């Protein structure tokens, strides 16, 4: 989970799939691309998970216990907050004739089982690039700091900054939403992943390392500590002394 190529860079993907081995495989591969992945096995559980976590994309199986993928898709498209969440529908070959129905119900794309994982990953990337470009842009720039997701290089004022893998992910996560305050729990979820147990103080340790690596001379601290709340990436870097 910590070794990512960071393409997904924190975009939240919900997998709704009742076949356990397939659900695991999807989780593993999506996490390897840097997405924050949640998995549920029932259609009705998915409704709850979506309301709680508002994913950036849903990989949705058609045949599910509780509530079918098709019905769930239809409901999501009528919901105020869920209307725009992209959906990739997974269908079995026998259901292929119903594809059109799936698309008119509001899925953005569909993949027929058994599918190739690289193909599914490519579609996930393509949809997120279209709907959520800031999450997938290869270079993030805030003030004098530039982070290149593909080469894993970070520069400040043109000087290369060397970061450990966790500090890199942390910086990337914060730079996606300059000015926004994240609690330690949110940073753990977004950077370390939902299913990893890490003490919240670990966040402070890595923020400390990140600051140390990023600052030279009188450069501004890129991370703002918000007492009682957490941390934010400074959106005032433009005013660097
Ligand atoms: Ca199924």
């Amino acid at each position: 989970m910590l070794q990512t190529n960071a393409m997904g860079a924190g975009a939240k993907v919900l997998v709704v799939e009742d076949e356990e081995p397939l659900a695991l495989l999807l989780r593993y591969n999506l996490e390897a691309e840097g997405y924050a992945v949640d998995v549920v096995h029932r259609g009705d559980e998915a409704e709850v998970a979506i309301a709680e976590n508002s994913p950036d994309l849903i990989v949705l199986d058609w045949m599910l216990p509780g509530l079918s993928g098709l019905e769930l898709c239809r409901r999501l498209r009528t919901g105020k907050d869920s209307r725009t969440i992209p959906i990739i529908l997974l269908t079995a070959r026998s259901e292929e004739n119903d594809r059109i129905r799936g698309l008119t119900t509001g899925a953005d794309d569909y993949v027929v089982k058994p599918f190739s994982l690289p193909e599914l990953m490519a579609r996930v990337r393509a949809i997120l690039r279209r709907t959520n470009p800031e999450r997938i842009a290869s270079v993030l720039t805030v003030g004098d700091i530039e982070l290149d997701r593909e080469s894993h290089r970070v520069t400040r004022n043109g000087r290369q900054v060397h970061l450990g893998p966790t500090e890199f992910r942390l910086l990337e996560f914060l730079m996606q939403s300059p000015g926004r305050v994240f609690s330690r729990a949110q940073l753990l979820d977004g950077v370390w992943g939902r299913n990893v147990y890490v003490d919240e103080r670990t966040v402070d340790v890595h923020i400390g390392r990140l600051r140390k690596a990023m600052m030279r001379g009188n450069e501004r601290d890129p991370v703002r500590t918000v007492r009682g709340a957490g941390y934010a990436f400074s959106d005032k870097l433009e005013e660097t002394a």
Side-chain angles (χ1 to χ4, degrees), residues 86-157:
I87 297 172
I88 298 180
L89 206 56
L90 304 180
T91 76
R93 199 164 287 287
S94 59
E95 295 149 2
E96 217 178 331
N97 290 339
D98 291 334
R99 277 175 176 192
I100 301 301
R101 216 170 109 213
L103 290 170
T104 52
T105 306
D108 297 78
D109 205 348
Y110 59 85
V111 174
V112 178
K113 292 179 183 179
F115 51 84
S116 96
L117 269 169
E119 189 198 338
L120 178 65
M121 293 299 148
R123 293 192 186 200
V124 167
R125 269 199 302 275
I127 290 182
L128 284 172
R129 195 173 286 129
R130 200 172 71 220
T131 58
N132 216 339
E134 73 282 7
R135 285 278 175 92
I136 210 93
S138 68
V139 177
L140 296 174
T141 307
V142 180
D144 53 8
I145 298 175
E146 199 172 280
L147 178 147
D148 186 327
R149 286 169 161 160
E150 273 158 31
S151 66
H152 268 226
R153 276 167 168 257
V154 175
T155 58
R156 182 161 197 188
N157 281 320

Side-chain angles (χ1 to χ4, degrees), residues 17-19 61 63-64 113:
E17 170 57 73
D18 57 324
E19 289 166 50
D61 187 27
M63 299 296 280
L64 290 167
K113 292 179 183 179

